[in-house]
Amino acid sequence: MSSALTPQSPSQVQAVAPVAVRKLKSESQWSLAWRRLRRHKLAMFGLFTLILIVFMSISADWLAPYPYDEIDLGKAYAPLMSPGGDGLPAHILGTDKLGRDILSRLMYAGRISLTVALATTILTMLVGTIMGAVAGSFGGWVDNILMRFADLMLTLPDLPILLILSSSLRQNQALTEFLGSNASVIIIIIILVVFGWMGVSRLVRGSVLTLRSQEFIQATQALGGSRARVIFSHLVPNSIAPIIVAATLGFGAVIISESALSFLGFGVMPPVPTWGNMLNEARNSPLEYLFTQALSPGFMIFLTVLSINFLGDGLRDALDPRLKL
Amino acid sequence: MTDYIIRRLIQSAVLLFFISMLLYVILNLVPGGPFDMLRLSNPRMTGSQLDRLNALLDLDKPLLPGQYCPQIGEIQEPCRFDQGRYLRWLGKVVQGDWGKSWTIANGKPVLGLIGGRLWYTVLLMGISLVVAIIIAVPIGIYSAIHQYSIIDYFVTALAFFGQSMPTFWTGLMAMAIFSVALGWFPTSGVRTAGSEGDIIEALGRVLSFGRSHPELAGQEWATIVDGLKHLALPAGVLVFFNLATWSRYTRTSMLEVLRQDYMRTARAKGLAERFVILKHGLRNALIPLITILALRIPSLFGGALITETIFSWPGMGRMLIDSIAGVDWPVVQGILVISSFLVVFSNFLGDLAYAWVDPRIQYS
């Protein structure tokens, strides 16, 4: 702001800060949480597995033995560990009805499933936090309308509406042309956000209401802090711990929702592979191949969601030790 | 208390009005109509013929109350006020007419279609819920009492696994293992092809002491056993899924109760440990479970969309999927409004039950 308030020049600060601050500064909330998280074995297992899955998906272009859409009709429904042709890598997890390598498809599918989940989670948290913070700090009729609206959205049967909207929005020519080749992916993200923000907004509203009457908020207001400042630099940071836990567990829930939609044929459309639509193809394959076709895509969903749940459990313990159970 | 009940009932009615309106508007704004297939298979059908067909179903009227300007082909008629399709639908629903199916069962009344599927869903969901609770509650109690024992870790792990395995995977794997590889159970459907009737009809005959379904005479029990075999896999998948949730709920609730002062008091009085756990602990631990049970009522009738679809179980969930895929909005609207009603109603019931079993809770 003005130099009158900061008598030291920047260079002075730099010279002093590293020595003085490091010695005096007590351990921050975040490094404490990280230490507690590191002791949680299951959470570390979850974190490690997730990093592995993300790495596997990102590096699909270099690591996948085959392109995800390379068709070899002579090799349809190859069993696990079947050798590839001359000089080609083996089909470790077999092939699907068009002879496409399942392992390669799993790696590419991870990209879509994880991207959908990540984008949905971030947007959901953003919308939910804003709604909850506004409802909680404005109070009165704003709060009333927003929360009644959230109630209404919570009572609506979500999965059927997801199915209806995604099947009909996909048929909308103008929208699909506007969104381009990833239309089905973007539509899914938007729908999941529209029907997913209520839980977070209730959470944030609740913690804003308990925080609002505390002294440091009144102090900010007395010092002339604007409403936006109160909300975004005091209320939201202080209710961040439960938001992080909700986001983590929400990420797992989105993976399941997206897979369920794609499994029922209402989600991400082939040829783009996701774990869900690979299971849909497995379901429509002849019964004797069902086991090999369904095993690996479902296992990836299971492993990802399990890791996320372990991590979420660990984060809950680490961020707020009072919330044990 | 009476005031509270009346206020809640009014609130619920208002909420349901808005929910059904929102559902109706969403469904009717979505593209697609009852004559899509007809038009595809008859390319020479003209626009005015289509208009006339739509007018027969009132589809040319406005959604919400407003001006209605009938136009059939080129002929423009004078505008007049119309109450709108939503209020017309609501008026008929109140009189028991839920409309007629557009595509999946052409022209049949929606309420009759729902009635035909309801008992299959109630049977599947009811059995899986009861079995899950019977297994999960003792497990949850045991693992709470012996917290941090090996069994407790096992139960916690099981709960994590169950919550992380979506039914569309466990369902496919159960089918691949138990019916394709081992051949223990049929893969899907509700009865063996070629048999006379199914389990619901046989149960109906047994419960009416042989007055209904005369064609099943003498083979009621064989039909029921056949039906149970078909029920085993879908119910098993749902039990596994519910088991995780219920054992975790019970464990958490029991752990909470075990910490209470009245438990220490009961022990200090010299009561037998068994008596303390069952009489003082369990009865209090079950209170939160009542609320959760009430919240499960809608799914009892709404069915399990995914499990029913995988195993071709002819319940409400499967009918919902079929009618969404077939753009049969009257059926979809009927099912969704009934299930929203059940959600609102069971929330209310849960709150009342909670106040009833726990005298500390006062609504005013």
Side-chain angles (χ1 to χ4, degrees), chain B residues 272-309:
Chain B
E273 182 64 18
R274 190 188 163 76
F275 195 78
V276 174
I277 298 284
L278 290 181
K279 183 99 184 175
H280 293 243
L282 181 60
R283 287 179 62 155
N284 284 303
L286 289 180
I287 292 177
L289 295 184
I290 288 176
T291 321
I292 297 163
L293 187 64
L295 294 180
R296 283 298 166 105
I297 293 175
S299 74
L300 209 56
F301 298 96
L305 270 80
I306 289 165
T307 313
E308 287 180 5
T309 305

CSV table of all heavy atoms in Angstrom, one decimal, chain B residues 272-309:
chain,number,residue,atom,x,y,z
B,272,ALA,N,-24.2,-56.9,35.2
B,272,ALA,CA,-23.4,-57.8,34.3
B,272,ALA,C,-23.1,-57.1,33.0
B,272,ALA,O,-23.9,-56.4,32.5
B,272,ALA,CB,-24.2,-59.1,34.0
B,273,GLU,N,-21.8,-57.3,32.5
B,273,GLU,CA,-21.4,-56.7,31.3
B,273,GLU,C,-22.3,-56.9,30.2
B,273,GLU,O,-22.6,-56.0,29.4
B,273,GLU,CB,-20.0,-57.2,31.0
B,273,GLU,CG,-19.3,-56.6,29.8
B,273,GLU,CD,-19.0,-55.1,30.0
B,273,GLU,OE1,-19.0,-54.6,31.2
B,273,GLU,OE2,-18.9,-54.4,29.0
B,274,ARG,N,-22.8,-58.1,30.1
B,274,ARG,CA,-23.7,-58.5,29.0
B,274,ARG,C,-25.0,-57.6,29.0
B,274,ARG,O,-25.4,-57.1,28.0
B,274,ARG,CB,-24.1,-59.9,29.2
B,274,ARG,CG,-24.8,-60.6,28.1
B,274,ARG,CD,-25.3,-62.0,28.6
B,274,ARG,NE,-26.3,-62.5,27.7
B,274,ARG,CZ,-26.1,-62.9,26.5
B,274,ARG,NH1,-24.9,-63.0,26.0
B,274,ARG,NH2,-27.1,-63.3,25.7
B,275,PHE,N,-25.5,-57.4,30.2
B,275,PHE,CA,-26.7,-56.6,30.4
B,275,PHE,C,-26.4,-55.2,30.1
B,275,PHE,O,-27.2,-54.5,29.5
B,275,PHE,CB,-27.1,-56.8,31.9
B,275,PHE,CG,-28.5,-56.3,32.1
B,275,PHE,CD1,-29.6,-57.1,31.8
B,275,PHE,CD2,-28.8,-55.1,32.8
B,275,PHE,CE1,-30.9,-56.7,32.0
B,275,PHE,CE2,-30.0,-54.7,33.0
B,275,PHE,CZ,-31.1,-55.4,32.6
B,276,VAL,N,-25.2,-54.7,30.5
B,276,VAL,CA,-24.9,-53.3,30.3
B,276,VAL,C,-24.8,-53.0,28.8
B,276,VAL,O,-25.4,-52.1,28.3
B,276,VAL,CB,-23.5,-53.0,30.9
B,276,VAL,CG1,-23.0,-51.6,30.5
B,276,VAL,CG2,-23.5,-53.1,32.4
B,277,ILE,N,-24.2,-53.9,28.1
B,277,ILE,CA,-24.0,-53.7,26.6
B,277,ILE,C,-25.4,-53.8,25.9
B,277,ILE,O,-25.7,-52.9,25.1
B,277,ILE,CB,-23.1,-54.8,26.0
B,277,ILE,CG1,-21.7,-54.7,26.6
B,277,ILE,CG2,-23.1,-54.7,24.5
B,277,ILE,CD1,-20.9,-53.6,26.1
B,278,LEU,N,-26.2,-54.8,26.2
B,278,LEU,CA,-27.4,-55.0,25.5
B,278,LEU,C,-28.5,-54.0,25.9
B,278,LEU,O,-29.2,-53.5,25.1
B,278,LEU,CB,-27.9,-56.5,25.6
B,278,LEU,CG,-27.0,-57.5,24.9
B,278,LEU,CD1,-27.6,-58.9,25.1
B,278,LEU,CD2,-26.9,-57.2,23.4
B,279,LYS,N,-28.7,-53.9,27.2
B,279,LYS,CA,-29.8,-53.1,27.7
B,279,LYS,C,-29.5,-51.6,27.6
B,279,LYS,O,-30.3,-50.8,27.2
B,279,LYS,CB,-30.1,-53.5,29.1
B,279,LYS,CG,-31.3,-52.8,29.7
B,279,LYS,CD,-32.5,-53.7,29.6
B,279,LYS,CE,-33.7,-52.9,30.1
B,279,LYS,NZ,-35.0,-53.6,30.0
B,280,HIS,N,-28.3,-51.2,28.1
B,280,HIS,CA,-28.0,-49.8,28.1
B,280,HIS,C,-27.3,-49.3,26.9
B,280,HIS,O,-27.5,-48.2,26.4
B,280,HIS,CB,-27.1,-49.5,29.4
B,280,HIS,CG,-27.8,-49.7,30.7
B,280,HIS,ND1,-28.0,-48.7,31.5
B,280,HIS,CD2,-28.3,-50.8,31.2
B,280,HIS,CE1,-28.7,-49.2,32.6
B,280,HIS,NE2,-28.9,-50.5,32.4
B,281,GLY,N,-26.4,-50.1,26.3
B,281,GLY,CA,-25.6,-49.7,25.2
B,281,GLY,C,-26.4,-49.8,23.9
B,281,GLY,O,-26.7,-48.8,23.2
B,282,LEU,N,-26.8,-51.1,23.5
B,282,LEU,CA,-27.4,-51.3,22.2
B,282,LEU,C,-28.7,-50.5,22.0
B,282,LEU,O,-28.8,-49.9,20.9
B,282,LEU,CB,-27.7,-52.8,22.1
B,282,LEU,CG,-28.3,-53.2,20.8
B,282,LEU,CD1,-27.4,-52.9,19.7
B,282,LEU,CD2,-28.7,-54.7,20.8
B,283,ARG,N,-29.5,-50.4,23.0
B,283,ARG,CA,-30.8,-49.7,22.8
B,283,ARG,C,-30.5,-48.2,22.5
B,283,ARG,O,-31.3,-47.7,21.7
B,283,ARG,CB,-31.6,-49.8,24.1
B,283,ARG,CG,-32.2,-51.2,24.2
B,283,ARG,CD,-33.0,-51.4,25.4
B,283,ARG,NE,-34.2,-50.5,25.4
B,283,ARG,CZ,-35.3,-50.8,26.0
B,283,ARG,NH1,-35.4,-51.9,26.8
B,283,ARG,NH2,-36.3,-50.0,26.0
B,284,ASN,N,-29.5,-47.6,23.0
B,284,ASN,CA,-29.2,-46.2,22.7
B,284,ASN,C,-28.5,-46.1,21.3
B,284,ASN,O,-28.7,-45.2,20.6
B,284,ASN,CB,-28.3,-45.6,23.8
B,284,ASN,CG,-29.2,-45.2,25.0
B,284,ASN,OD1,-30.2,-44.5,24.8
B,284,ASN,ND2,-28.8,-45.8,26.1
B,285,ALA,N,-27.7,-47.2,21.1
B,285,ALA,CA,-26.9,-47.1,19.8
B,285,ALA,C,-27.8,-47.3,18.6
B,285,ALA,O,-27.5,-46.8,17.5
B,285,ALA,CB,-25.8,-48.2,19.8
B,286,LEU,N,-29.0,-47.9,18.8
B,286,LEU,CA,-29.9,-48.1,17.7
B,286,LEU,C,-30.6,-46.9,17.3
B,286,LEU,O,-31.2,-46.8,16.2
B,286,LEU,CB,-30.9,-49.3,18.0
B,286,LEU,CG,-30.2,-50.7,18.0
B,286,LEU,CD1,-31.3,-51.7,18.4
B,286,LEU,CD2,-29.6,-51.0,16.7
B,287,ILE,N,-30.7,-45.9,18.2
B,287,ILE,CA,-31.5,-44.7,17.8
B,287,ILE,C,-31.1,-44.0,16.5
B,287,ILE,O,-31.9,-43.8,15.7
B,287,ILE,CB,-31.4,-43.7,19.0
B,287,ILE,CG1,-32.2,-44.3,20.2
B,287,ILE,CG2,-32.0,-42.3,18.6
B,287,ILE,CD1,-32.1,-43.4,21.5
B,288,PRO,N,-29.8,-43.7,16.3
B,288,PRO,CA,-29.4,-43.1,15.1
B,288,PRO,C,-29.7,-44.0,13.9
B,288,PRO,O,-30.0,-43.5,12.8
B,288,PRO,CB,-27.9,-42.8,15.2
B,288,PRO,CG,-27.5,-43.0,16.6
B,288,PRO,CD,-28.6,-43.8,17.2
B,289,LEU,N,-29.7,-45.3,14.1
B,289,LEU,CA,-29.9,-46.2,13.0
B,289,LEU,C,-31.4,-46.1,12.5
B,289,LEU,O,-31.6,-46.3,11.3
B,289,LEU,CB,-29.6,-47.6,13.4
B,289,LEU,CG,-28.1,-47.9,13.7
B,289,LEU,CD1,-27.9,-49.4,14.0
B,289,LEU,CD2,-27.2,-47.5,12.6
B,290,ILE,N,-32.3,-45.7,13.4
B,290,ILE,CA,-33.7,-45.6,13.0
B,290,ILE,C,-33.8,-44.5,11.9
B,290,ILE,O,-34.5,-44.7,10.9
B,290,ILE,CB,-34.6,-45.3,14.2
B,290,ILE,CG1,-34.7,-46.5,15.1
B,290,ILE,CG2,-35.9,-44.8,13.8
B,290,ILE,CD1,-35.4,-46.3,16.3
B,291,THR,N,-33.1,-43.4,12.1
B,291,THR,CA,-33.2,-42.3,11.1
B,291,THR,C,-32.6,-42.8,9.8
B,291,THR,O,-33.2,-42.5,8.7
B,291,THR,CB,-32.3,-41.1,11.6
B,291,THR,OG1,-32.5,-41.0,13.0
B,291,THR,CG2,-32.7,-39.8,10.9
B,292,ILE,N,-31.5,-43.5,9.9
B,292,ILE,CA,-30.9,-44.0,8.6
B,292,ILE,C,-31.8,-45.0,7.9
B,292,ILE,O,-32.0,-44.9,6.7
B,292,ILE,CB,-29.5,-44.6,8.9
B,292,ILE,CG1,-28.6,-43.5,9.5
B,292,ILE,CG2,-28.9,-45.1,7.6
B,292,ILE,CD1,-27.4,-44.1,10.1
B,293,LEU,N,-32.5,-45.8,8.7
B,293,LEU,CA,-33.4,-46.8,8.2
B,293,LEU,C,-34.6,-46.0,7.5
B,293,LEU,O,-35.0,-46.4,6.3
B,293,LEU,CB,-34.0,-47.7,9.3
B,293,LEU,CG,-34.8,-48.8,8.8
B,293,LEU,CD1,-34.0,-49.8,8.0
B,293,LEU,CD2,-35.4,-49.5,10.0
B,294,ALA,N,-35.1,-45.0,8.1
B,294,ALA,CA,-36.2,-44.2,7.5
B,294,ALA,C,-35.7,-43.6,6.2
B,294,ALA,O,-36.5,-43.6,5.2
B,294,ALA,CB,-36.6,-43.1,8.4
B,295,LEU,N,-34.4,-43.2,6.1
B,295,LEU,CA,-34.0,-42.6,4.9
B,295,LEU,C,-33.8,-43.6,3.8
B,295,LEU,O,-33.7,-43.3,2.6
B,295,LEU,CB,-32.6,-41.9,5.1
B,295,LEU,CG,-32.7,-40.7,6.0
B,295,LEU,CD1,-31.3,-40.0,6.2
B,295,LEU,CD2,-33.6,-39.6,5.5
B,296,ARG,N,-33.8,-44.9,4.1
B,296,ARG,CA,-33.7,-45.9,3.1
B,296,ARG,C,-35.1,-46.3,2.5
B,296,ARG,O,-35.1,-47.1,1.6
B,296,ARG,CB,-33.1,-47.2,3.8
B,296,ARG,CG,-31.6,-47.1,3.9
B,296,ARG,CD,-31.0,-46.9,2.6
B,296,ARG,NE,-29.6,-46.5,2.7
B,296,ARG,CZ,-28.6,-47.3,2.5
B,296,ARG,NH1,-28.8,-48.5,2.1
B,296,ARG,NH2,-27.4,-46.8,2.6
B,297,ILE,N,-36.2,-45.8,3.1
B,297,ILE,CA,-37.5,-46.2,2.6
B,297,ILE,C,-37.7,-46.0,1.1
B,297,ILE,O,-38.1,-46.8,0.4
B,297,ILE,CB,-38.6,-45.5,3.4
B,297,ILE,CG1,-38.6,-46.1,4.9
B,297,ILE,CG2,-40.0,-45.8,2.8
B,297,ILE,CD1,-39.5,-45.4,5.8
B,298,PRO,N,-37.3,-44.8,0.6
B,298,PRO,CA,-37.5,-44.5,-0.8
B,298,PRO,C,-36.8,-45.6,-1.7
B,298,PRO,O,-37.4,-46.0,-2.7
B,298,PRO,CB,-36.8,-43.2,-1.0
B,298,PRO,CG,-36.8,-42.5,0.3
B,298,PRO,CD,-36.7,-43.6,1.3
B,299,SER,N,-35.6,-46.0,-1.3
B,299,SER,CA,-34.9,-47.0,-2.2
B,299,SER,C,-35.6,-48.3,-2.2
B,299,SER,O,-35.5,-49.1,-3.1
B,299,SER,CB,-33.5,-47.1,-1.8
B,299,SER,OG,-33.4,-47.9,-0.6
B,300,LEU,N,-36.4,-48.6,-1.1
B,300,LEU,CA,-37.1,-49.8,-1.0
B,300,LEU,C,-38.1,-50.0,-2.1
B,300,LEU,O,-38.4,-51.0,-2.7
B,300,LEU,CB,-37.8,-49.9,0.4
B,300,LEU,CG,-38.1,-51.2,1.0
B,300,LEU,CD1,-36.9,-51.9,1.2
B,300,LEU,CD2,-38.8,-50.9,2.3
B,301,PHE,N,-38.7,-48.8,-2.5
B,301,PHE,CA,-39.7,-48.8,-3.6
B,301,PHE,C,-39.1,-48.3,-4.9
B,301,PHE,O,-39.5,-48.7,-6.0
B,301,PHE,CB,-40.9,-47.9,-3.2
B,301,PHE,CG,-41.6,-48.4,-2.0
B,301,PHE,CD1,-41.3,-47.9,-0.7
B,301,PHE,CD2,-42.6,-49.4,-2.1
B,301,PHE,CE1,-42.0,-48.3,0.4
B,301,PHE,CE2,-43.2,-49.8,-1.0
B,301,PHE,CZ,-42.9,-49.3,0.3
B,302,GLY,N,-38.1,-47.4,-4.8
B,302,GLY,CA,-37.5,-46.9,-6.0
B,302,GLY,C,-36.6,-47.9,-6.7
B,302,GLY,O,-36.4,-47.8,-7.9
B,303,GLY,N,-36.1,-48.9,-5.9
B,303,GLY,CA,-35.3,-49.9,-6.5
B,303,GLY,C,-33.9,-49.5,-6.8
B,303,GLY,O,-33.5,-48.4,-6.5
B,304,ALA,N,-33.1,-50.5,-7.3
B,304,ALA,CA,-31.7,-50.3,-7.5
B,304,ALA,C,-31.6,-50.3,-9.1
B,304,ALA,O,-31.7,-51.3,-9.7
B,304,ALA,CB,-30.9,-51.4,-6.9
B,305,LEU,N,-31.4,-49.1,-9.6
B,305,LEU,CA,-31.3,-48.9,-11.1
B,305,LEU,C,-30.3,-49.9,-11.7
B,305,LEU,O,-30.6,-50.6,-12.6
B,305,LEU,CB,-30.9,-47.5,-11.4
B,305,LEU,CG,-32.0,-46.5,-11.7
B,305,LEU,CD1,-32.5,-46.0,-10.3
B,305,LEU,CD2,-31.5,-45.4,-12.5
B,306,ILE,N,-29.1,-49.8,-11.1
B,306,ILE,CA,-28.0,-50.5,-11.8
B,306,ILE,C,-28.1,-52.0,-11.6
B,306,ILE,O,-28.0,-52.8,-12.5
B,306,ILE,CB,-26.6,-50.0,-11.3
B,306,ILE,CG1,-26.4,-48.6,-11.8
B,306,ILE,CG2,-25.5,-50.9,-11.6
B,306,ILE,CD1,-25.4,-47.8,-11.2
B,307,THR,N,-28.3,-52.5,-10.3
B,307,THR,CA,-28.4,-53.9,-10.1
B,307,THR,C,-29.6,-54.5,-10.9
B,307,THR,O,-29.4,-55.6,-11.4
B,307,THR,CB,-28.6,-54.2,-8.6
B,307,THR,OG1,-27.6,-53.4,-7.9
B,307,THR,CG2,-28.3,-55.6,-8.2
B,308,GLU,N,-30.7,-53.9,-10.9
B,308,GLU,CA,-31.8,-54.4,-11.6
B,308,GLU,C,-31.5,-54.5,-13.1
B,308,GLU,O,-32.0,-55.4,-13.8
B,308,GLU,CB,-33.1,-53.6,-11.4
B,308,GLU,CG,-33.7,-53.8,-10.0
B,308,GLU,CD,-34.9,-52.9,-9.7
B,308,GLU,OE1,-35.4,-52.3,-10.7
B,308,GLU,OE2,-35.4,-53.0,-8.6
B,309,THR,N,-30.8,-53.5,-13.6
B,309,THR,CA,-30.5,-53.5,-15.0
B,309,THR,C,-29.5,-54.7,-15.4
B,309,THR,O,-29.7,-55.4,-16.3
B,309,THR,CB,-29.8,-52.2,-15.4
B,309,THR,OG1,-30.7,-51.1,-15.0
B,309,THR,CG2,-29.6,-52.1,-16.9
